[in-house]
Amino acid sequence: MTARPLAIAIAGLGTVGAGVAKLLRDNADLIAARAGRPIVVTAISARDRHKDRGVATGGMRWYDDPVALADDAGVDVVVETIGGSEGPARALVEAALTAGKPVVTANKALLAVHGAALARMGGTLAFEAAVAGGIPAIKAIREGLAANRLSRVAGILNGTCNYVLTTMRERGLQFAEVLHEAQKLGYAEADPAFDIDGVDAAHKLAILAALAFGRPVDLAAVHIEGIRGVSALDIALAEELGFRIKLLGIATRSAGGVSTRVHPCMVPKGAAIARVEGVFNAVVAEGDFCGRVMLEGRGAGAGPTASAVVADLIDIARGRLTPVWGAEALDDVPSLPMEAHVGAYYLRLMVLDRPGVIADVTGILRDERISLESMLQRGRAPGEAVPVVLTTHDCEERQMRVAIARIAALETVVEPPALIRIEAL
Amino acid sequence: MTARPLAIAIAGLGTVGAGVAKLLRDNADLIAARAGRPIVVTAISARDRHKDRGVATGGMRWYDDPVALADDAGVDVVVETIGGSEGPARALVEAALTAGKPVVTANKALLAVHGAALARMGGTLAFEAAVAGGIPAIKAIREGLAANRLSRVAGILNGTCNYVLTTMRERGLQFAEVLHEAQKLGYAEADPAFDIDGVDAAHKLAILAALAFGRPVDLAAVHIEGIRGVSALDIALAEELGFRIKLLGIATRSAGGVSTRVHPCMVPKGAAIARVEGVFNAVVAEGDFCGRVMLEGRGAGAGPTASAVVADLIDIARGRLTPVWGAEALDDVPSLPMEAHVGAYYLRLMVLDRPGVIADVTGILRDERISLESMLQRGRAPGEAVPVVLTTHDCEERQMRVAIARIAALETVVEPPALIRIEAL
Ligand SMILES: NC(=O)c1ccc[n+]([C@@H]2O[C@H](COP(=O)([O-])OP(=O)(O)OC[C@H]3O[C@@H](n4cnc5c(N)ncnc54)[C@H](OP(=O)(O)O)[C@@H]3O)[C@@H](O)[C@H]2O)c1
Ligand SMILES: NC(=O)c1ccc[n+]([C@@H]2O[C@H](COP(=O)([O-])OP(=O)(O)OC[C@H]3O[C@@H](n4cnc5c(N)ncnc54)[C@H](OP(=O)(O)O)[C@@H]3O)[C@@H](O)[C@H]2O)c1
């Protein structure tokens, strides 16, 4: 091994940053062989200088200000594992790119919000760890499937949501109970909104869509719904109908443009993605030559995320570089609004068990030219509320929204209707 | 787009070669954007100059002798899609490497047999298409998971075998019937031995094991069994026991060395790999930091294979190079013999339904210190042959071989015992 070591700085020594330091230490020999040179941590930054990180930091230069790492002449590559789309993470990444240093980051929020502008700065910005943790999904889409015109990229992109939905189904529990338990087990954050409300998955989907379709990242265009509204009842009914409920991120390229959406979906139980359970993530890509490819694995945690960060470092050490969004020139294909979405729907109503109710509901659907695929009425309790489940053939989201508003306004419909889109993945 | 086009030669214009030409034509714009420069076919070779390849070849230089492509000064990269571990394919690859030209090949036989020697020649030799077709498995293992110490890599590596086993199960048919049908449908070759006897899967496994464990490819060490011996009865019994039968390639790294084997396996129905059906392939890798990652997709066919070949060309166009086996210096970790394999076994006997038979069989297993996990006797027909199924706890292959030989020699055992290894993947 004669090549000069690659000297890196790590900003942020939390779950991911400390994981990277540990991986570089534990697998140093193997990493050096695959990178063609040793990769050594020469500088670090975090908030608390005295916290035990579970990994020796002696001999590494300490910085209170992470942004200063960009100007350390002894640093070849900056690893940003602080997090957040603004503040020190953004300042550091911009400073490093300005200084001509390659950057490796796990920060999906930063990429999703500022990725287009960061790419325009030029330079190397690698982010395998930002999407689907230990699964080399970015590399697969940006390099492995690069010869294909992709029509769709989709996935289970948030392990917390998938864990909650899996546990609700397996144990017949309600959302709030499972979330509470997940927080105690460390599978969900104290403030779970980012995960549960679909924002984290939307960040990742925006990144995947930009790569898959070679266009600037457009987070604002992503339609986002989380899993708070998914009830134990709908999960049980899905099961009966042959579906499983998953929070999916789905980006589709059609003649008119690109649609990107994150929301709970009913997927057929037989579909490969339906069987990705618990904290596991999966990414599906469909291309004109490769067909459908699915990757699954661990989407978060110190080990998998560090594995992805260090893969990026090895690429940089080897000089294997790729433009941020896969190509220098990006397409300006427009984003499509959610109202234009066409698909099938699951609709679950709580209706008073009275004559004429079903006729009212189906009459509204007929008025909006939505055709029914199936109807299921659970139990009978004259005068009381009972669930009624309708599934539709393909229709436009905007028709469905009109229909839903009219149905919700019926005096006999006693709860806001539950609507879950059906996806054949 | 100002960069000089990458000029390539394609040797062999069959399923894969013509597919590559078609892909380069159909997605030329997108490939140029991702490669940073156009990729153009400037020279070609096949046996029959006048065959219609379904793609225009005007303007491309024709060679009767593929080896001459290596010396065409106008060719930057040679694509070898002739096939076979010897003959013109090998001669061409050696000539191109000698001439300092990067080579892209789909030829797993060549890589498995001569890959170690070819790597020693130096130069760029890319072979994403050689394993699992459209799935970017080589890239995932060699680059995406490069930071990990892998403990296992395994997969469904032959679509023909998986199709035959899936169809046998779904329709309750015997091997010979399904094979015959698969040949008529074009899913199996006229001479199916390479696929059916596990040789093709062994080539791919030898390649994956070399990459995963950073050591010279060692085809001779792979234990190979095909699927001819799998009966409809065993498939049905597997189903009852909660298993599915798959032809897997499995490479495992343990303290003592590397074991590589291709044979029919019983995998729990709930395992992700059990649900990869029909012509689909899958590759599983297990690493110390990434955990378990699984990739699935189409393992063969013109489109998926061309997708992989062109991904390699894009890497070369971008200057993204990797040593053939992932690192310059390879490990000399030894290969372990199959006799040292430790695992659980499914054993199905046809025994005469007579008193004492079971006692004889279980006595032999006890003598060889093999402990039973379960026993299942199907039906009763005094004096006639009935199936008896035994599953064992972990034991050594060499113990099992002794036991099997003794059991087969029992007068009351009327057919050679069927043995299928149980794998918890
Ligand atoms: N956790 C995962 O599984 C995972 C998976 C994929 C991607 N990611 C992404 O990886 C990034 C890091 O996540 P994480 O889970 O490792 O977060 P974390 O555990 O909260 O760690 C954040 C680190 O940043 C440091 N930090 C915060 N503000 C700082 C400042 N102003 N200056 C210097 N250091 C500062 C903290 O220092 P102190 O330790 O001193 O407080 C801490 O070490 C995020 O972008 C996240 O989205 C995480
Ligand atoms: N088919 C798949 O799905 C697949 C998937 C992965 C990898 N592969 C690998 O890809 C390679 C090619 O497979 P294939 O299925 O494309 O085979 P194929 O359809 O039989 O094509 C072979 C091509 O090589 C040409 N050829 C044979 N001998 C030649 C010679 N001496 N000089 C010049 N050209 C010669 C043939 O020419 P003519 O057409 O004139 O006869 C033909 O065009 C093999 O290594 C195979 O293992 C195939």
Side-chain angles (χ1 to χ4, degrees):
Chain A
M1 192 68 51
T2 53
R4 196 175 66 80
L6 187 76
I8 71 160
I10 305 178
L13 295 168
T15 304
V16 180
V20 170
K22 195 162 171 303
L23 171 49
L24 288 171
R25 178 197 67 192
D26 289 358
N27 287 354
D29 56 339
L30 169 157
I31 290 167
R34 295 182 182 165
R37 53 208 271 209
I39 298 178
V40 293
V41 185
T42 53
I44 49 177
S45 175
R47 274 181 304 213
D48 180 351
R49 186 169 186 160
H50 304 290
K51 205 189 271 182
D52 178 13
R53 313 281 175 182
V55 49
T57 55
M60 301 173 189
R61 290 185 289 285
W62 173 272
Y63 286 84
D64 284 324
D65 176 12
V67 183
L69 292 168
D71 295 320
D72 183 324
V75 168
D76 299 317
V77 179
V78 169
V79 176
E80 184 278 302
T81 49
I82 294 172
S85 64
E86 311 299 332
R90 180 182 177 191
L92 169 59
V93 171
E94 289 177 351
L97 291 175
T98 302
K101 291 198 205 303
V103 173
V104 176
T105 178
N107 191 335
K108 49 251 179 179
L110 177 68
L111 262 293
V113 176
H114 298 295
L118 293 172
R120 283 193 299 270
M121 292 182 68
T124 295
L125 178 57
F127 50 94
E128 182 62 70
V131 179
I135 309 171
I138 301 288
K139 186 173 272 287
I141 289 173
R142 199 165 57 167
E143 302 171 30
L145 306 180
N148 293 272
R149 214 170 289 281
L150 298 181
S151 51
R152 181 154 67 167
V153 56
I156 294 175
L157 301 174
N158 185 279
T160 304
C161 289
N162 207 44
Y163 171 83
V164 168
L165 291 174
T166 300
T167 307
M168 286 176 70
R169 180 181 63 74
E170 286 177 352
R171 297 180 29 216
L173 298 176
Q174 290 293 358
F175 171 77
E177 300 169 80
V178 176
L179 176 61
H180 186 70
E181 199 179 285
Q183 287 173 313
K184 282 196 293 187
L185 289 168
Y187 291 160
E189 304 283 329
D191 177 2
F194 235 59
D195 291 319
I196 292 306
D197 293 332
V199 178
D200 177 71
H203 286 155
K204 295 167 182 169
L205 183 70
I207 292 169
L208 289 178
L211 288 173
F213 308 127
R215 64 186 211 127
V217 62
D218 185 5
L219 179 64
V222 183
H223 172 83
I224 313 175
E225 293 171 36
I227 63 167
R228 283 185 208 267
V230 177
S231 68
L233 175 61
D234 292 315
I235 289 181
L237 289 167
E239 206 68 13
E240 267 186 64
L241 293 166
F243 292 111
R244 206 147 271 183
I245 300 181
K246 294 287 176 192
L247 184 78
L248 298 185
I250 304 176
T252 315
R253 175 87 159 90
S254 60
V258 168
S259 101
T260 47
R261 52 205 169 88
V262 170
H263 53 70
C265 296
M266 296 260 178
V267 287
K269 266 192 244 180
I273 207 162
R275 299 166 272 130
V276 176
E277 299 279 33
V279 296
F280 282 84
N281 281 22
V283 173
V284 177
E286 291 172 20
D288 52 355
F289 279 73
C290 62
R292 182 182 302 177
V293 174
M294 184 168 118
L295 295 82
E296 61 181 289
R298 298 194 167 271
T305 313
S307 164
V309 167
V310 177
D312 280 342
L313 289 171
I314 293 173
D315 275 352
I316 291 168
R318 284 269 178 207
R320 291 192 299 249
L321 305 181
T322 307
V324 180
W325 299 109
E328 283 79 3
L330 299 182
D331 237 331
D332 55 359
V333 43
S335 295
L336 298 174
M338 192 62 194
E339 290 73 30
H341 170 69
V342 174
Y345 293 79
Y346 159 100
L347 210 60
R348 196 256 312 150
L349 314 173
M350 294 303 292
V351 301
L352 294 181
D353 190 1
R354 275 199 213 150
V357 179
I358 300 296
D360 291 345
V361 170
T362 55
I364 291 172
L365 292 171
R366 181 205 55 217
D367 291 353
E368 304 303 332
R369 299 177 319 285
I370 295 168
S371 84
L372 279 181
E373 209 255 310
S374 74
M375 207 186 78
L376 181 76
Q377 186 167 350
R378 268 277 145 261
R380 299 237 35 194
E384 285 179 43
V386 292
V388 170
V389 174
L390 307 149
T391 63
T392 75
H393 289 292
D394 278 3
C395 66
E396 264 210 2
E397 176 94 6
R398 72 182 101 234
Q399 294 169 269
M400 182 50 81
R401 289 190 183 175
V402 175
I404 284 278
R406 287 184 58 197
I407 290 169
L410 289 174
E411 189 217 332
T412 45
V413 171
V414 296
E415 276 181 19
L419 176 151
I420 302 180
R421 295 171 194 89
I422 298 173
E423 299 292 330
L425 254 181
Chain B
M1 191 71 48
T2 54
R4 196 175 67 80
L6 188 75
I8 70 158
I10 306 179
L13 295 168
T15 304
V16 180
V20 170
K22 195 163 171 298
L23 171 49
L24 288 171
R25 177 196 69 192
D26 289 358
N27 288 354
D29 55 339
L30 169 157
I31 289 167
R34 294 182 183 165
R37 54 207 271 210
I39 299 179
V40 294
V41 185
T42 53
I44 50 177
S45 175
R47 274 179 306 211
D48 180 351
R49 185 167 186 161
H50 303 291
K51 203 189 274 183
D52 179 13
R53 313 282 175 183
V55 50
T57 55
M60 300 174 191
R61 289 185 291 284
W62 173 272
Y63 285 83
D64 284 323
D65 176 11
V67 183
L69 293 167
D71 295 320
D72 182 324
V75 168
D76 299 318
V77 179
V78 170
V79 176
E80 183 278 302
T81 49
I82 294 173
S85 64
E86 310 300 332
R90 180 182 178 191
L92 170 59
V93 170
E94 289 177 352
L97 292 175
T98 301
K101 292 195 203 305
V103 173
V104 176
T105 180
N107 192 335
K108 49 250 178 177
L110 178 67
L111 262 292
V113 176
H114 298 296
L118 292 171
R120 282 192 299 270
M121 292 182 68
T124 295
L125 178 57
F127 51 93
E128 182 63 69
V131 179
I135 309 171
I138 300 288
K139 187 174 273 286
I141 289 173
R142 199 166 55 168
E143 303 171 28
L145 306 181
N148 293 272
R149 213 170 289 281
L150 297 180
S151 52
R152 181 155 65 166
V153 56
I156 294 176
L157 301 173
N158 185 279
T160 303
C161 289
N162 207 44
Y163 170 83
V164 168
L165 292 174
T166 300
T167 307
M168 286 175 70
R169 182 181 62 75
E170 285 177 351
R171 297 177 33 214
L173 299 175
Q174 290 293 356
F175 171 77
E177 299 170 82
V178 176
L179 176 61
H180 186 70
E181 199 181 285
Q183 287 172 314
K184 282 197 295 188
L185 290 168
Y187 291 159
E189 305 283 329
D191 177 1
F194 234 58
D195 292 318
I196 292 305
D197 292 332
V199 179
D200 177 71
H203 286 155
K204 295 167 181 166
L205 182 70
I207 293 170
L208 289 178
L211 288 172
F213 308 127
R215 65 186 210 127
V217 61
D218 185 3
L219 178 63
V222 183
H223 172 83
I224 312 176
E225 293 171 36
I227 64 166
R228 283 185 207 267
V230 177
S231 67
L233 174 61
D234 292 315
I235 289 181
L237 289 166
E239 206 68 14
E240 267 186 65
L241 291 167
F243 293 111
R244 205 146 273 183
I245 300 181
K246 295 286 176 192
L247 184 79
L248 298 184
I250 304 175
T252 315
R253 175 87 158 93
S254 61
V258 168
S259 99
T260 48
R261 53 204 168 91
V262 169
H263 54 68
C265 297
M266 297 259 177
V267 288
K269 267 192 243 179
I273 206 161
R275 297 167 272 128
V276 176
E277 299 279 32
V279 296
F280 282 83
N281 281 24
V283 173
V284 177
E286 291 172 18
D288 52 354
F289 279 74
C290 62
R292 181 183 302 177
V293 174
M294 183 167 118
L295 296 82
E296 61 180 288
R298 297 192 168 273
T305 313
S307 164
V309 167
V310 177
D312 280 343
L313 289 171
I314 293 172
D315 275 353
I316 290 168
R318 284 268 177 208
R320 289 192 298 250
L321 305 181
T322 307
V324 180
W325 300 110
E328 283 80 4
L330 299 182
D331 236 332
D332 56 358
V333 42
S335 296
L336 299 175
M338 191 63 193
E339 290 71 32
H341 170 69
V342 174
Y345 293 79
Y346 159 100
L347 209 59
R348 196 254 315 148
L349 313 174
M350 294 303 293
V351 302
L352 293 181
D353 191 0
R354 274 199 214 150
V357 179
I358 300 296
D360 290 347
V361 170
T362 54
I364 291 172
L365 292 171
R366 181 206 54 217
D367 291 353
E368 303 303 334
R369 298 178 320 283
I370 295 169
S371 83
L372 279 181
E373 209 255 310
S374 73
M375 206 187 78
L376 181 76
Q377 185 166 352
R378 268 277 143 261
R380 299 240 32 196
E384 286 179 43
V386 292
V388 170
V389 173
L390 307 148
T391 63
T392 75
H393 289 292
D394 277 2
C395 66
E396 263 209 0
E397 177 95 5
R398 71 181 101 237
Q399 293 168 268
M400 182 50 82
R401 289 189 184 176
V402 175
I404 284 277
R406 288 185 56 195
I407 289 168
L410 289 174
E411 189 218 331
T412 46
V413 171
V414 297
E415 277 181 19
L419 174 152
I420 303 180
R421 295 171 193 87
I422 298 173
E423 297 293 330
L425 256 180

